[in-house]
Amino acid sequence: MNLQQQYQKEIQSVLQKELGISNVMAVPKLVKIVVNVGLGEALSDSKVLDKVCQQITVVTGQKPIVTRAKQAISAFKLRAGDKVGVKVTLRGKRMYDFFQKLVSIGLPRLRDFRGIPKESFDGRGNYSLGLQEQTVFPEIDFGQIDKMRGLEITFVTSARNNEYAFALLTHLGLPFAKEGQEKR
């Protein structure tokens, strides 16, 4: 049974009872996962975008789109419209597959991993997680990596507040750090 089926059959009813929600449609759920990689060095080397696009495609199973600068910043020699990163928005089956891969394979491969911090909620039920290196995913070939790059993963939920989102992500299997165990 995959995570999506497990949510529909088990987790949804547990959350409904735990949070005291009367309507099953008001139970929080995972809406989408956004994987973002910022590439400042793409301004000087355009081949970087192709390499990172290929790596993110292998990890997520979906081709990323190229993000562009919204405004010019002269101190960084950045013009409006320059390519500065890539992002992927995952929904449905791919979203749940990526979530399972991240929780069961990616996060345990982090060095000195004791759980993810609880402080990264935005107040509206969304959670952002930053990874310092893309090599936590086993699909990426070490021979093709020219530089370690970080990526940001945002879990967008239908929860109204942080408490509901925390309950949802905990039941889905995201390993939050215990009190006093946060990595410093």
Side-chain angles (χ1 to χ4, degrees):
M1 178 173 7
N2 67 15
L3 189 61
Q4 188 172 13
Q5 294 170 342
Q6 186 180 356
Y7 171 78
Q8 292 169 345
K9 292 181 181 174
E10 300 168 9
I11 297 172
Q12 193 172 23
S13 59
V14 171
L15 278 173
Q16 186 176 3
K17 290 176 188 169
E18 185 179 303
L19 300 174
I21 299 172
S22 58
N23 186 355
V24 72
M25 296 303 286
V27 176
K29 62 183 175 196
L30 199 56
V31 177
K32 63 184 176 180
I33 295 176
V34 180
V35 180
N36 180 33
V37 180
L39 298 167
E41 71 253 25
L43 295 172
S44 59
D45 186 9
S46 60
K47 295 178 185 174
V48 171
L49 276 172
D50 297 333
K51 290 178 185 176
V52 174
C53 278
Q54 182 184 13
Q55 292 173 1
I56 297 299
T57 302
V58 168
V59 169
T60 61
Q62 185 171 316
K63 187 175 185 216
I65 63 168
V66 175
T67 55
R68 296 179 179 270
K70 293 182 181 177
Q71 59 186 359
I73 303 173
S74 61
F76 297 118
K77 298 178 183 169
L78 180 68
R79 294 187 180 132
D82 283 349
K83 298 175 182 179
V84 292
V86 295
K87 78 172 185 177
V88 174
T89 302
L90 302 169
R91 290 183 169 89
K93 183 176 177 354
R94 283 192 183 133
M95 171 184 68
Y96 283 105
D97 290 345
F98 178 77
F99 188 91
Q100 263 188 315
K101 181 174 23 173
L102 177 71
V103 169
S104 61
I105 299 170
L107 291 177
R109 289 182 65 168
L110 289 175
R111 200 172 326 136
D112 298 331
F113 182 69
R114 292 190 182 108
I116 58 175
K118 298 176 184 176
E119 291 83 33
S120 296
F121 286 97
D122 67 351
R124 298 179 185 191
N126 304 318
Y127 184 78
S128 293
L129 169 68
L131 298 178
Q132 292 181 348
E133 52 189 46
Q134 76 273 37
T135 58
V136 297
F137 296 103
E139 298 93 359
I140 295 182
D141 184 21
F142 283 98
Q144 296 190 358
I145 295 177
D146 56 339
K147 180 181 173 188
M148 291 293 180
R149 292 184 181 86
L151 52 108
E152 180 183 297
I153 303 168
T154 303
F155 303 97
V156 179
T157 68
S158 64
R160 297 181 297 213
N161 56 29
N162 293 347
E163 177 190 341
Y164 284 19
F166 178 74
L168 169 69
L169 293 174
T170 302
H171 282 288
L172 286 174
L174 211 56
F176 286 99
K178 307 281 190 277
E179 291 297 322
Q181 279 192 348
E182 285 86 16
K183 187 177 176 183
R184 298 194 194 286

